[in-house]
């Protein structure tokens, strides 16, 4: 009998029973590993994003979601995108969805532009005087109510324990998450925010002596869109009005560092931030 293992060939010697025992042991180990891999593949083969909608104020809101392979109710994580064209970061969001489901979370990405269409993101820009357009105040009430409707839609979802929801937000979406989280203490147990797009005006709108759920803030100190001092002020205010609060700053990392389409994609920061995200969610939702 010839057994191939990697680049080595082991030849069975009938006159050597000890070798038979060694070969049998190796074969058994190989089979156990192979079986385990097949089981894992079966468990997660079905974890793929599924398109869906929920209704807010008579309007269908697009979403996609990933359901864990194991049965029962799971904590949920709602992904809240930043300002950008519809479809930006599509593959990254889908991969986050898969990863969260494989980590035993019901994950949902909400396209909260469904009701209004994508805005002109130039009006979210920060100029030296922090003069944001008053035509579309931030955070947008329409967007906030849409995300509230997404949380409401999970109440009767058989896959979801709606008392354990995390908000995973990016850029402008972080302000929305920080506005929504304190208003839903029975549902939202954790917030993770990547590179919050914040100005003094927005900060004043978010900080209203509220009690924040545990928060993790992740950003780069090379962010050309967001002032690091404004971000630090927001983080200090959250720490004063909440429970557990963590901040991690990546040296030199740009805005949108975890998206390949962004000019400042940073593979290390992206991987490390995702590891921290999962650990933080696990600590507060599982």
């Amino acid at each position: 009998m010839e057994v191939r293992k990697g680049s080595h060939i082991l030849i069975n010697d009938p006159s050597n029973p000890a070798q038979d025992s060694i070969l049998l042991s190796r074969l058994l180990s190989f089979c156990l590993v192979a079986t385990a891999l097949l089981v894992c593949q079966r468990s997660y083969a079905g974890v793929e994003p599924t398109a869906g909608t929920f209704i807010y104020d008579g309007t269908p809101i697009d979403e996609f979601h990933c359901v864990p392979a194991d049965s029962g109710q799971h904590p949920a994580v709602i992904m809240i995108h930043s300002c950008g064209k519809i479809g930006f970061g599509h593959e990254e969001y889908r991969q986050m969805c898969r990863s969260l489901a494989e980590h035993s979370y019901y994950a949902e990405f909400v396209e909260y532009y469904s009701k209004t269409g994508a805005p002109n993101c130039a009006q979210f820009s920060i100029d030296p005087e922090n003069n944001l357009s008053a035509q579309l105040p931030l955070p947008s009430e329409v967007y906030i109510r849409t995300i509230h409707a997404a949380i409401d839609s999970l109440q009767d979802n058989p896959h979801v324990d709606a008392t354990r929801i995390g908000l995973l937000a990016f850029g402008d979406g972080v302000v929305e998450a920080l506005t929504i989280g304190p208003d839903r203490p029975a549902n939202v147990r954790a917030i993770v925010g990547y590179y919050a797009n914040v100005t003094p005006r927005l900060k004043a709108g978010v900080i209203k002596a509220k009690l924040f759920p545990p928060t993790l803030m992740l950003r780069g100190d090379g962010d050309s869109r967001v002032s690091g001092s404004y971000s630090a002020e927001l983080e200090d205010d959250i720490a004063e009005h909440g429970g557990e609060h963590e901040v991690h700053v990546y040296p030199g990392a740009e805005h949108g560092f975890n998206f390949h389409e962004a000019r400042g994609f940073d593979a290390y920061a992206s991987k490390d931030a995702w590891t921290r995200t999962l650990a933080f969610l696990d600590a507060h939702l599982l």
Side-chain angles (χ1 to χ4, degrees), residues 30-64:
F30 174 81
C31 290
L32 288 173
V33 170
T35 301
L37 288 173
L38 288 173
V39 169
C40 290
Q41 289 172 352
R42 282 198 301 270
S43 297
Y44 296 131
V47 179
E48 285 296 326
T50 301
T53 60
F54 60 89
I55 303 299
Y56 160 55
D57 196 24
T59 301
I61 305 299
D62 295 328
E63 55 91 6
F64 63 78

Side-chain angles (χ1 to χ4, degrees), residues 36-49 66-71 74 95 97-105:
L37 288 173
L38 288 173
V39 169
C40 290
Q41 289 172 352
R42 282 198 301 270
S43 297
Y44 296 131
V47 179
E48 285 296 326
C66 296
V67 183
D70 51 315
S71 61
H74 303 83
Q95 182 55 40
C97 187
R98 295 186 189 97
S99 178
L100 287 165
E102 292 177 2
H103 217 69
S104 295
Y105 293 107

Side-chain angles (χ1 to χ4, degrees), residues 88 222-225 254-257 259-266:
F88 173 86
D223 196 323
S224 59
R225 274 196 70 186
E254 250 283 8
H255 198 80
F257 62 74
F259 289 99
H260 284 84
E261 293 177 62
R263 63 182 181 182
F265 174 71
D266 186 314

Side-chain angles (χ1 to χ4, degrees), residues 219 223 226-233 235:
R219 58 183 171 87
D223 196 323
V226 180
S227 164
S229 61
Y230 295 159
S231 296
E233 290 174 9
E235 291 155 2

Side-chain angles (χ1 to χ4, degrees), residues 203-227:
K203 184 172 73 70
V206 170
I207 304 298
K208 296 178 179 178
K210 295 179 178 179
L211 182 64
F212 290 88
T215 62
L216 168 64
M217 305 295 277
L218 302 158
R219 58 183 171 87
D221 67 5
D223 196 323
S224 59
R225 274 196 70 186
V226 180
S227 164

